[in-house]
Amino acid sequence: MTLLDLWLSRSLPMVLLLQSLVLMALCFPSASMCPKGCLCQRDPHLHGLNVSCSQSRLKEIPPSLPSDTVLLRLDHNQIGAVPDQAFHGLRLLRELNLSYNAVETLGEGAFSGIEGTLQVLDLSHNRITSVHKDAFARLKARVIVDDNPWHCDCALQQAIGGMAHNHEAAARVLCRSSEIRDQEGQPFLAVDTDLCNLAKRTTDYAMLVTMFGWFAMVISYVVYYVRQNQEDARRHLEYLKSLPSKPKKPDEVDDIST
């Protein structure tokens, strides 16, 4: 056996071990990259990570999600809010599942940074009643929003109208409450009224009623003030009449007799 053969026989196991470690590092992200309670798996077909945090008793969105996350499952948790820019660093994110949580409202920047890549957004089975009018404005994803206690108002009408797949999403929205009383429990698409103009008319009517109320108060005060002054003047006059007349002096009586 030559020296070369001897060197190769000793070095080959080390080379194979290094190759195995490199493959493991590529295929399985380190524990420090994967949030606590989540499972992170690399899918070569997705060119990124499949991060599953389902049923992990999470009360908030993990702050340290891997930047190459492609699929993110946060369903069946206790997440109560989606902060603005919560997913800002996930520029490869295609699918986001937030179903079966306790989200109540969505702000303008809830999905900031993932508008261009996100394809599916599942918000079903939450407690969402209201959203910012621009919450879905730049999203191109198919949004699933059914099974939420929606309050059908101007902001929701604007938010649904600004979605790329607004008809499909709106068809699944039921009005738990509404600006129009008769629409409670009805599908959102059944609301054929411009709720924004309705809100404006309601505001204008309230302002008109308020102005009329102030005007009535001013008139009432003026009338009360005039009547009070008249009453005071009458009492003063009666008081003057009730005073005894001034008695004449003796000199004046003698002059009259003469």
Side-chain angles (χ1 to χ4, degrees):
M1 179 179 292
T2 63
L3 291 176
L4 179 61
D5 293 335
L6 181 61
W7 181 83
L8 288 176
S9 63
R10 293 182 178 180
S11 301
L12 185 58
M14 184 62 68
V15 173
L16 293 176
L17 178 60
L18 289 175
Q19 289 180 344
S20 299
L21 291 175
V22 170
L23 289 174
M24 290 179 64
L26 292 174
C27 295
F28 301 100
S30 64
S32 61
M33 293 176 57
C34 196
K36 183 179 179 180
C38 303
L39 177 63
C40 302
Q41 294 180 334
R42 187 170 299 278
D43 190 334
H45 301 290
L46 297 176
H47 303 290
L49 289 178
N50 182 354
V51 180
S52 178
C53 306
S54 303
Q55 300 181 354
S56 298
R57 298 181 180 179
L58 298 177
K59 294 185 178 180
E60 60 182 16
I61 296 172
S64 56
L65 291 165
S67 59
D68 55 345
T69 300
V70 177
L71 302 179
L72 178 58
R73 297 185 61 89
L74 295 168
D75 55 292
H76 292 86
N77 282 293
Q78 303 168 18
I79 298 173
V82 181
D84 287 351
Q85 300 187 350
F87 309 102
H88 189 72
L90 309 183
R91 302 188 180 277
L92 301 178
L93 191 62
R94 299 182 191 175
E95 182 176 338
L96 174 59
N97 190 342
L98 275 164
S99 63
Y100 293 95
N101 274 286
V103 179
E104 296 181 357
T105 186
L106 294 171
E108 181 180 5
F111 306 107
S112 175
I114 58 175
E115 301 94 341
T117 59
L118 197 63
Q119 299 175 3
V120 179
L121 172 61
D122 193 347
L123 293 167
S124 62
H125 301 280
N126 272 275
R127 302 174 186 173
I128 304 174
T129 58
S130 61
V131 296
H132 189 276
K133 64 182 182 66
D134 295 324
F136 307 124
R138 293 176 292 274
L139 282 179
K140 300 177 182 178
R142 181 173 66 91
V143 183
I144 306 171
V145 292
D146 49 304
D147 291 308
N148 281 284
W150 291 103
H151 175 68
C152 294
D153 59 359
C154 173
L156 179 61
Q157 197 168 51
Q158 290 179 311
I160 295 294
M163 293 166 55
H165 300 274
N166 52 23
H167 190 277
E168 180 182 354
R172 296 179 176 271
V173 173
L174 294 179
C175 301
R176 175 70 63 86
S177 59
S178 176
E179 296 294 323
I180 306 174
R181 188 179 298 265
D182 294 339
Q183 299 298 336
E184 294 179 0
Q186 300 296 321
F188 177 77
L189 289 180
V191 181
D192 56 356
T193 304
D194 189 341
L195 296 176
C196 296
N197 284 337
L198 177 65
K200 184 177 183 300
R201 289 197 300 269
T202 302
T203 303
D204 292 344
Y205 177 76
M207 291 181 61
L208 180 63
V209 171
T210 303
M211 292 177 62
F212 179 79
W214 279 105
F215 181 74
M217 288 178 61
V218 172
I219 295 299
S220 300
Y221 177 78
V222 171
V223 171
Y224 170 79
Y225 180 78
V226 171
R227 288 183 177 179
Q228 189 68 27
N229 284 347
Q230 289 177 344
E231 184 67 19
D232 291 342
R234 184 183 63 80
R235 291 178 180 176
H236 184 67
L237 182 61
E238 290 179 353
Y239 171 75
L240 293 176
K241 288 181 179 179
S242 65
L243 293 176
S245 59
K246 184 177 181 182
K248 296 181 180 181
K249 296 180 179 180
D251 294 342
E252 292 179 353
V253 174
D254 294 341
D255 292 341
I256 295 174
S257 299
T258 306

